Amino acid sequence: MNQIATMRKQIGVSQAQLAKTIGWGTSRLANYELSIRTPSLNDCRKIVNGLTKLGCECSIDDIFPPPSDASNSIEANIT
């Protein structure tokens, strides 16, 4: 689950405004917000950069939180 819409709404920005800032169409951003599609790492960075340009103080981990399941973490898989 991502926090794109939550953070976008906190700063009072529409999907259209964020999409335009990133250089995308609104439907692409909507697909990511609704988790219909999963953004690549590069797209995640573009989303965070767009939110930052629009006044959001956030990191990639704020928008795309890492899984909380310890068995999926890198540290748990290193022996």
Side-chain angles (χ1 to χ4, degrees), residues 4 8 21 25-26 30 33 46 52 68 71 75:
I4 303 168
R8 177 180 58 74
T21 299
T26 305
E33 283 190 3
K46 286 181 181 181
T52 301
S68 59
S71 66
E75 294 84 14

Side-chain angles (χ1 to χ4, degrees), residues 47-67:
I47 292 165
V48 171
N49 286 337
L51 287 166
T52 301
K53 285 181 184 178
L54 294 169
C56 183
E57 293 184 23
C58 59
S59 70
I60 199 163
D61 285 341
D62 295 330
I63 306 301
F64 303 96

Side-chain angles (χ1 to χ4, degrees), residues 13-27 29 54:
V13 171
S14 69
Q15 271 186 348
Q17 289 171 304
L18 178 55
K20 183 178 179 181
T21 299
I22 298 169
W24 293 347
T26 305
S27 62
L29 182 60
L54 294 169

